[in-house]
């Protein structure tokens, strides 16, 4: 049984509403948020500059700190298991 709980340690937002997500076990995933930004909760992130500036790591996962107050209870975040299931892009990183 695998008891690994994926923890995000770094994120790099890109210009195409994708985020490179780095996990504590070395896996790197390209998370595509284009479908997410079409939902109501992600509406503030439809502006690419807000998407990139608010993108951060909170609660051990990819998150967007919309208020800028670093309040972990007041952010938009993605379940780390959902991201971790994505295909690794480690081979694309130099």
């Amino acid at each position: 049984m695998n008891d690994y709980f994926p923890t995000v340690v770094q994120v790099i937002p890109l210009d195409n509403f994708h985020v490179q997500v780095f996990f504590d076990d070395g896996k790197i995933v390209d998370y595509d948020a284009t479908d997410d930004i079409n939902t109501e909760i992600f509406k503030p992130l439809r502006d690419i500059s807000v998407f990139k500036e608010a993108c951060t790591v909170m609660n051990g996962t990819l998150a967007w700190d919309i208020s800028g107050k670093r309040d972990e209870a007041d952010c938009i975040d993605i379940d780390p298991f959902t991201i971790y299931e994505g295909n690794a892009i480690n081979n694309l990183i130099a």
Side-chain angles (χ1 to χ4, degrees):
M1 181 175 179
N2 186 358
D3 293 330
Y4 175 66
F5 187 94
T7 302
V8 174
V9 296
Q10 181 181 3
V11 294
I12 301 174
L14 305 175
D15 289 331
N16 58 355
F17 294 103
H18 285 233
V19 181
Q20 290 179 345
V21 182
F22 296 74
F23 288 91
D24 62 338
D25 70 346
K27 183 175 183 178
I28 306 166
V29 173
D30 178 50
Y31 182 75
D32 181 354
T34 53
D35 287 339
D36 296 333
I37 62 169
N38 292 319
T39 64
E40 192 60 31
I41 194 167
F42 281 83
K43 188 175 181 178
L45 302 176
R46 291 179 188 160
D47 178 332
I48 191 65
S49 63
V50 174
F51 177 87
K52 291 174 71 175
E53 290 170 18
C55 187
T56 189
V57 176
M58 294 177 78
N59 303 320
T61 193
L62 166 63
W64 288 270
D65 180 18
I66 303 300
S67 69
K69 297 179 183 176
R70 300 293 300 169
D71 180 356
E72 293 181 349
D74 185 27
C75 67
I76 300 171
D77 60 5
I78 306 293
D79 182 327
F81 285 98
T82 299
I83 303 166
Y84 194 81
E85 291 173 0
N87 293 328
I89 61 165
N90 296 55
N91 61 322
L92 300 179
I93 305 299

